[in-house]
Every structure is written in C-alpha cells, then in structure tokens.
C-alpha cells in the first residue's frame, strides 16, 4: 500500500475517492479465496485505516493496529469464510445443540434476553444493553449482521470484544467445532460457529446477562438453544419470505419459537395475524405477556437537537425527560420495548410493583448508539446512512428523515442484495427522494446496478434515476445532485439498501 493516502472530501463532493477505490478493488481481488463479504470489510479497512486514525467514540472497531493480531484475525475470518454463509440454511438446531453439549452448555451459565422480529432488533438490543450496563450488570450482546467488523457481533459490557480475544475465543472452540463437524451430516455454518463463540465468551467473562438477537426466524435459529427469561419480539413484517412464510402470521410462527415455558414476552406493536399467533404461543407455554400500546408504550415524543425527547410508560410506571440520541418514531418505539424488557428482567410489574430508577434510565438512553441506523456521517451536505433493506424498514426510515431533517432536496443512494423486495423499498423512498442514484456494493450477493436501475426507472421515471456501478462514484454523484438546486443546509443524501452498503459507505466517510 502506498504511503500517500487518498483524501476524504469535506465540502466539495467525494471527488478524491477514486484512488482509494482502485486499491480497494485490488485488495478485494487478492482476497478472492475468502468469503467475499469479509474480503470487502478487510479491504476497506486496510485502504482507509491510516487516514481515519483511531476511532473516537465510534462503537464500530477498526482493524487491529498490531500486525500480528491483524494477521491472526484475518486467518480466523478466512477459516470462517469456508463455511456456509448466512444465506444458506438447513433449518435445525441439532448442530448448535451438539456444539453446546461438547462445550459444557455455556449458554446455561447466565440468564438471557432473547430478541427476534423483522426490524429494529439490533437497535433494541443496544438499548437493552445500555440499560443493563447503567444498572451495573455485566452484559454480553450478540447481534448480526455486522456493519464493518465481524468482531462487532460479540460485545462485552457495551463494547465489541477486541480482536485478540475474538481470535482466542475462536481457537478455544475450534477443536469442539471440528468434533461436531465430523459427527454431523453438515458442517457447522458461519453463523453457528459465531453463536457458539459468543456463548462461550459470555460464560468465560463471565456476564450477568446475555442480550441475544436471532439471526433469522426463531424456532430453528442457531441462537435458540438459550432459554430466554425474557423474549422480545419487535415488529414483524415481510422479509425472508422464502424461508419464513408469506404473511406476518406465518412468519410469527417461526419467530414465536423464542417464547419459552414461563418466560415474559415483550410484544412490540404487531399486525393482527402475527399478534394472534404470538399470543396463542404464549398461552401454550404459560408465558406472561406485556403488549406495546396496552401495558407499556410511548406516551409522548418530540424532535430535539441530535435526537428526540421521550416520555415512556413502562410496565412499572412512567419515565419522562428521556433524551434518545437517535431519530424517528420507530426508535422511540424500540426504546419503549427495550425499557419494558429490562423492567421484566428485573421483575418490575410482576412480583415487584416498583419503577426503575428514573435517572439511571435517562442516563442509559442518552448513551445509546446504533451505527448504520439513521447515522449522520457528514454535514454540508448532510449524509445519512441507514441499513433499511425491506419495505417496512424503508417506510419508517423515510418518515424519520422527513421528520428530523426536513430537507429541501434529498438524493438517495441505493444498493441492495439479490432476493430482496427492492421495488417495495424504492416505492417507500420515492416520495422523499428528488432523485436516486442506484449502485451496487461489492458483496457476492449484491444486485447488479443495471438490474436495480430497471426497477428504479419503473418507480421513479427515467429522468430521476442515475446509474453508477461503483459506490464511490455513486456518492460523488449524489452529493453533486444534492447541491445543485439547494443551499447546503437544505440538501441531503441518504445511503441505504443493505447493511453491506452502509458499511462500505461508512468506511469511505472515515467512520471505521
């Protein structure tokens, strides 16, 4: 890598990114034997790390500065990349159960809060974690997918485990993984191995409570070898319909698998058919249910500088004066769900008729971050990253952008994955985008820019669609379009369509 690092622009577009992406492309090509998604993440970090410097208050880790640790992490990523990716599934928990057995059932060493749903899982998990940390509990958090680094998926006490510990955890479980591989019909998948690593790391820490987000579904998801004392179900909508079902009710059948005997269930607002399925499952296993809009919810919210001010009603009482440094009504509802989940974990509203300490709750919510979710990474013009990748997520993002920013001119940059409802996503954004630049990320699952453009033209009309196959070119084009007919303060760019797209854009804007 040359000593001269490419510049990231300030106010004049992204016209200095070409050199960066030439090197980016070269490194991705060199890493062609790896899982392509992991290669992309490594390439972006290597080309941009020196200019970005160490993260300052950024919850997303950069690549290790120690070359030996970086090499060891890369080797682990390469080994993980030889396994089934997260889009190839054999719906069963038999392999992960076998791994837990030979590891000595580490997931039984701590109570868990288990989170499923279609949208909002990661943000809700981060809020739950922040609340538990504020009450001086040691936490482990397992979420997916990652924005930039695979180490993000496993967190201890609110921070991703460091690369050295990630590598050590992998080597600790590797002999047991190989034992299970040899005994089962199929090898453990990428996600199953990471799940085993997370549960082992939490037991080794040890943590007081684990906050676990499902990967997909619920019943047969690899995370579902825990018995969550609290089961959280965020809003269910249509996504992964080829695997989970074609209606919210069918999808709820799978996601309801996280509801265990005698658990407390925290239900976000749901479509009627999904709610019916979930309530029936709760009755069958004698679980206690708290429903958003009934037992808890958002009392009031108003836009504030850098986020919003909330009054939340929990299962134990009302909490006012809460500042949440995240945008959108959906984030307020996520906060209500997270609060109810933590109250339930502490027994509030059940055997303990009391409230949590309000000042501690306020302090916790004020500290929450959610990378890649309505995240502002630049000003003049404002550039926002959001990982919306299905129509329901796109709709709430569109509402949040409109409410919080009021742009006079907003340009979209969209890159999506194959198999997603891209028409539904584009239709959700059409009312707020003056124009859209369609592009593609470097994932092997990426939808081609031309294919995406064909759908975009049908939704927006040809005169509002621009095609730029490379993300750096797409960002430059979007910034130029945003500035053409608007003052700096009234122009904006929203980069969206997938987590991979957001992760790559985030690297380009010096966030990694």
């Amino acid at each position: 890598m040359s000593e001269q690092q490419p510049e990231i622009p300030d106010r004049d577009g992204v016209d200095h990114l070409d050199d960066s992406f030439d090197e980016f492309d070269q490194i991705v090509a060199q890493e062609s034997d790896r899982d392509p998604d992991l290669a992309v993440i490594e390439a972006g970090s290597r080309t941009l790390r020196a200019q970005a410097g160490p993260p300052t208050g950024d919850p997303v880790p950069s690549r290790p500065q120690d070359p030996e640790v970086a090499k060891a992490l890369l080797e682990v990523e390469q080994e993980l990349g030889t396994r089934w990716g997260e889009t190839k599934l054999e719906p069963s928990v038999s392999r992960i159960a076998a791994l837990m057995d030979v590891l000595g059932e580490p997931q039984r060493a701590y109570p868990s809060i288990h989170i499923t749903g279609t949208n909002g899982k990661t943000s809700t998990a981060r809020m739950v974690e922040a609340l538990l940390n504020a009450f001086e509990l040691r936490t482990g958090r397992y979420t997916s997918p990652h924005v930039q680094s695979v180490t993000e998926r496993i967190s201890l006490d609110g921070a991703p485990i460091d690369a050295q510990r990630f590598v050590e955890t992998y080597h600790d479980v590797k002999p047991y993984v190989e034992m299970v591989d040899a005994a089962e019909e199929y090898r453990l998948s990428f996600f199953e191995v990471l799940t085993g690593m997370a549960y082992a790391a939490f037991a080794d820490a040890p943590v007081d409570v684990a906050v676990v987000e499902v990967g997909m579904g619920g019943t047969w998801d690899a995370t579902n070898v825990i018995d969550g004392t609290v089961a959280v179900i965020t809003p269910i909508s249509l996504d992964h319909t080829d695997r989970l079902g074609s209606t919210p009710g069918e999808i709820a059948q799978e996601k309801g698998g996280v509801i265990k005997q005698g658990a407390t269930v925290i239900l976000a607002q749901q479509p009627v058919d999904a709610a019916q399925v979930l309530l029936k499952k709760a009755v069958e296993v004698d679980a206690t249910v708290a429903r958003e809009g009934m037992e808890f919810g958002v009392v009031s919210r108003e836009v504030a500088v850098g986020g919003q001010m909330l009054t939340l009603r929990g299962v134990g009482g009302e909490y006012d004066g809460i500042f949440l440094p995240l945008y959108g009504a959906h984030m307020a509802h996520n906060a209500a769900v997270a609060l109810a989940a933590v109250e339930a974990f502490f027994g509030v509203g059940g055997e303990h008729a009391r409230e949590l300490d309000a000042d501690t709750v306020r302090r916790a919510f004020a500290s929450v971050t959610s990378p890649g979710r309505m995240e502002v990474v630049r000003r003049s013009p404002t550039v926002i990253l959001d990982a919306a990748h299905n129509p329901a997520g796109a709709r709430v993002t569109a509402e949040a952008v409109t409410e919080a920013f009021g742009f006079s001119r907003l340009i979209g940059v969209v890159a999506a994955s194959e198999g997603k409802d891209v028409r539904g996503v584009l239709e959700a954004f059409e009312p707020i985008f003056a124009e859209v630049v369609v592009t593609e990320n470097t994932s092997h699952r990426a939808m081609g820019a031309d294919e995406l453009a064909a759908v975009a033209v049908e939704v927006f009309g040809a005169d509002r669609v621009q095609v730029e196959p490379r993300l750096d070119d797409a960002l430059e084009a979007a910034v130029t379009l945003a500035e053409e007919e608007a003052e700096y303060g009234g122009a904006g760019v929203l980069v969206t369509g997938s987590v991979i797209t957001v992760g790559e854009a985030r690297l380009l804007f010096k966030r990694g």
Side-chain angles (χ1 to χ4, degrees), residues 5-24:
Q5 294 297 323
E7 296 180 11
I8 293 295
D10 182 20
R11 296 173 65 91
D12 56 348
V14 288
D15 49 351
H16 301 293
L17 292 175
D18 288 344
D19 293 342
S20 170
F21 257 77
D22 288 341
E23 189 170 0
F24 182 90

Side-chain angles (χ1 to χ4, degrees), residues 36-51:
D37 289 351
L38 296 178
V40 168
I41 293 161
E42 165 65 4
S45 294
R46 285 163 61 182
T47 55
L48 297 175
R49 180 180 63 221
Q51 70 183 26

Side-chain angles (χ1 to χ4, degrees), residues 174-335:
K174 182 178 177 180
Y176 303 96
V177 168
E178 291 172 343
M179 288 172 57
V180 174
D181 284 344
E184 295 287 326
E185 182 179 2
Y186 302 107
R187 296 172 72 214
L188 287 153
S189 70
F190 169 85
F191 185 73
E192 288 169 332
V193 174
L194 281 175
T195 303
M197 289 172 60
Y199 290 163
F202 296 163
D204 185 60
V207 302
D208 298 313
V209 55
V211 182
V212 178
E213 174 190 339
V214 303
M216 185 185 301
T219 300
W220 42 259
D221 186 73
T223 63
N224 204 30
V225 289
I226 58 173
D227 290 324
T229 56
V230 177
V232 177
I233 304 180
T234 66
I236 291 174
S237 59
L238 299 183
D239 199 8
H240 302 296
T241 54
D242 55 332
R243 297 182 177 92
L244 301 180
S246 58
T247 68
E250 291 176 355
I251 294 172
Q253 293 279 2
E254 286 296 331
K255 294 188 181 292
V258 303
I259 302 174
K260 304 298 173 58
Q261 187 72 37
T264 300
V265 184
I266 306 301
L267 279 186
Q269 291 179 342
Q270 303 290 346
V272 173
D273 58 341
Q276 290 173 337
V277 169
L278 296 170
L279 290 170
K280 180 180 178 182
K281 176 61 184 289
V283 170
E284 290 172 353
V285 298
D286 197 27
T288 302
V289 178
R291 300 156 294 177
E292 184 182 7
M294 300 289 288
E295 285 78 26
F296 69 93
V298 178
V299 176
S300 66
R301 54 180 294 271
E302 57 185 64
V303 177
V305 176
Q308 52 192 311
M309 291 298 299
L310 309 175
T311 297
L312 302 178
R313 178 164 54 85
V315 294
E318 192 167 291
Y319 304 80
D320 61 9
I322 293 173
F323 174 68
L324 181 68
L326 302 172
Y327 300 103
H330 62 300
M331 287 297 185
H333 290 286
N334 291 344

Side-chain angles (χ1 to χ4, degrees), residues 53-396:
T56 303
D58 189 347
V60 176
S62 60
R63 300 297 298 185
Q65 297 298 310
D66 185 326
E68 290 302 316
V69 176
K71 178 182 177 182
L73 178 60
L74 177 59
E75 290 173 351
V76 170
E77 290 175 326
Q78 289 175 327
E79 290 189 24
L80 289 170
T82 66
R83 296 181 175 275
W84 278 0
E86 290 167 283
T87 58
K88 187 172 183 180
L89 303 170
E90 194 277 317
S92 167
V93 294
S94 62
R95 291 177 303 282
I96 188 67
L99 179 60
M100 293 296 99
D101 182 50
V102 296
L103 286 174
E105 304 291 346
Q107 81 283 14
R108 310 289 183 204
Y110 39 80
S112 300
I113 297 175
H114 206 177
I115 303 174
T116 189
T118 303
N119 292 310
K121 297 187 295 295
T122 298
S123 296
T124 302
R126 285 179 169 274
M127 294 179 195
V128 169
E129 174 189 55
L131 285 162
L132 293 169
N133 287 158
F135 284 101
E136 301 183 351
L137 290 184
R138 187 159 205 212
T139 57
R141 174 173 52 83
Y142 181 53
T143 53
S144 61
H146 53 273
V147 176
Q148 288 174 204
S149 171
V150 69
T151 59
E152 294 168 41
R153 297 183 180 226
I154 304 172
S155 291
L156 293 173
D157 294 329
I161 65 173
D162 64 41
Q164 181 66 47
R165 189 165 189 170
F166 184 90
V167 170
E168 291 170 353
T169 301
Y170 175 76
H171 287 296
D172 285 345
V173 304
K174 182 178 177 180
Y176 303 96
V177 168
E178 291 172 343
M179 288 172 57
V180 174
D181 284 344
E184 295 287 326
E185 182 179 2
Y186 302 107
R187 296 172 72 214
L188 287 153
S189 70
F190 169 85
F191 185 73
E192 288 169 332
V193 174
L194 281 175
T195 303
M197 289 172 60
Y199 290 163
F202 296 163
D204 185 60
V207 302
D208 298 313
V209 55
V211 182
V212 178
E213 174 190 339
V214 303
M216 185 185 301
T219 300
W220 42 259
D221 186 73
T223 63
N224 204 30
V225 289
I226 58 173
D227 290 324
T229 56
V230 177
V232 177
I233 304 180
T234 66
I236 291 174
S237 59
L238 299 183
D239 199 8
H240 302 296
T241 54
D242 55 332
R243 297 182 177 92
L244 301 180
S246 58
T247 68
E250 291 176 355
I251 294 172
Q253 293 279 2
E254 286 296 331
K255 294 188 181 292
V258 303
I259 302 174
K260 304 298 173 58
Q261 187 72 37
T264 300
V265 184
I266 306 301
L267 279 186
Q269 291 179 342
Q270 303 290 346
V272 173
D273 58 341
Q276 290 173 337
V277 169
L278 296 170
L279 290 170
K280 180 180 178 182
K281 176 61 184 289
V283 170
E284 290 172 353
V285 298
D286 197 27
T288 302
V289 178
R291 300 156 294 177
E292 184 182 7
M294 300 289 288
E295 285 78 26
F296 69 93
V298 178
V299 176
S300 66
R301 54 180 294 271
E302 57 185 64
V303 177
V305 176
Q308 52 192 311
M309 291 298 299
L310 309 175
T311 297
L312 302 178
R313 178 164 54 85
V315 294
E318 192 167 291
Y319 304 80
D320 61 9
I322 293 173
F323 174 68
L324 181 68
L326 302 172
Y327 300 103
H330 62 300
M331 287 297 185
H333 290 286
N334 291 344
V337 169
L339 176 61
V342 173
E343 286 182 313
F345 180 78
F346 285 124
V348 173
E351 61 264 32
H352 303 297
R354 58 179 175 82
E355 297 180 20
L356 299 178
D357 179 73
D359 287 338
T360 304
V361 169
R362 294 185 190 104
R363 185 171 68 252
F365 277 120
S367 72
V368 171
T369 61
S370 194
R373 279 79 178 176
M374 288 293 296
E375 181 181 19
V376 177
V377 294
R378 176 181 159 170
R379 300 286 187 181
S380 299
T382 299
V383 178
I384 305 167
L385 308 181
D386 192 85
H389 58 273
N390 56 47
R395 285 192 292 271
V396 298

